Amino acid sequence: MSVHLRHHHQNTLREQISTLGKSLFDRGLTMGSSGNISVRLDDGGWLMTPTNACLGRLDPARISHLDQHGQLLSGDAPTKEQFLHMAMYDERPQSGAIVHLHSTHSVAVSCLPGVDPCDCIPPLTAYYVMRVGKLPLIPYHIPGDPQLGEAVRGLAGKHSAVLLANHGPVVAGKTLEAAVYATEELEETAKLYLLLRGENPRGLTPEQVVELEARFPRD
């Protein structure tokens, strides 16, 4: 890819990060300056939302541009949760983007006693299975704790999404759109799960889950 084409492609991705970030924020899926988004570039570097940035008011030109070693090349300093993104990418070479939100219903599930730490939310719908799959719970760590990155790294190879206890989801996808859609599906299913608690809901059977995973591989 020529330098001109690469620059054009990067600008398109910057605009997409800003547009989708605003969409997530405007619908209340993350609040204040919480939440962050990253996209892997063809040269091995990344675009990442800056530290203390509101996803509803991103300036495309100030989005952090990092090299393949995570060093800042241009833009504002990246999110303090950069290490979460790097841990997911390290284990998922097929992933092209990551979204981390503090979305209300997903965080609520992460605080519940008695959830299965290997699979926090049952397979209530086909689209949840197709876009998220099994969602493991990562025990609580203080924000910024490098041990949290190691805990993510330990599970990211097998899972495209993880749920941080008392914190929120980290979701990877082939593209930014795919990662955003999966994050939205996770939040909607968390909401369904909370609505149905105590009702003994009928989920999909293991056979139905296997069929969906075979027909609609995530990445």
Side-chain angles (χ1 to χ4, degrees):
M1 189 185 287
S2 72
V3 173
H4 174 73
L5 276 176
R6 193 178 296 134
H7 185 68
H8 175 73
H9 180 59
Q10 191 182 119
N11 283 343
T12 301
L13 288 173
R14 288 172 180 274
E15 293 289 346
Q16 190 182 33
I17 290 169
S18 299
T19 299
L20 290 173
K22 185 175 189 312
S23 172
L24 291 167
F25 181 85
D26 286 350
R27 287 175 293 135
L29 285 157
T30 206
M31 287 59 86
S33 62
S34 70
N36 28 79
I37 296 171
S38 67
V39 176
R40 194 200 298 264
L41 299 172
D42 293 337
D43 63 4
W46 291 273
L47 292 176
M48 201 170 287
T49 51
T51 185
N52 293 324
C54 171
L55 293 190
R57 298 190 298 276
L58 291 171
D59 177 351
R62 294 175 63 184
I63 286 172
S64 313
H65 179 199
L66 310 176
D67 69 13
Q68 59 188 346
H69 306 295
Q71 299 301 307
L72 183 65
L73 295 174
S74 66
D76 292 345
T79 170
K80 292 188 287 291
E81 294 181 306
Q82 172 186 352
F83 69 97
L84 285 179
H85 295 252
M86 295 306 195
M88 288 288 277
Y89 284 121
D90 282 351
E91 298 294 314
R92 302 191 65 77
Q94 71 274 42
S95 293
I98 289 168
V99 176
H100 166 51
L101 301 181
H102 299 180
S103 40
T104 305
H105 299 92
S106 301
V107 176
V109 170
S110 84
C111 300
L112 286 176
V115 295
D116 181 350
C118 299
D119 195 9
C120 297
I121 299 175
L124 294 173
T125 70
Y127 281 93
Y128 177 75
V129 173
M130 289 155 57
R131 290 188 169 142
V132 180
K134 281 196 172 179
L135 180 71
L137 182 70
I138 291 178
Y140 174 76
H141 293 71
I142 193 166
D145 183 349
Q147 296 275 325
L148 179 54
E150 289 309 308
V152 168
R153 189 172 277 109
L155 289 167
K158 295 178 186 167
H159 302 274
S160 60
V162 297
L163 186 59
L164 313 180
N166 304 79
H167 188 160
V170 184
V171 182
K174 276 187 181 175
T175 65
L176 180 53
E177 271 195 342
V180 167
Y181 291 159
T183 307
E184 292 174 335
E185 197 67 45
L186 169 52
E187 175 65 3
E188 191 60 28
T189 311
K191 188 175 180 180
L192 283 174
Y193 176 57
L194 294 168
L195 283 169
L196 292 166
R197 281 184 78 226
E199 295 292 336
N200 193 25
R202 181 184 64 255
L204 302 184
T205 66
E207 293 76 20
Q208 288 168 332
V209 169
V210 167
E211 182 185 18
L212 284 165
E213 288 177 337
R215 193 175 298 187
F216 302 102
R218 279 181 300 282
D219 60 21

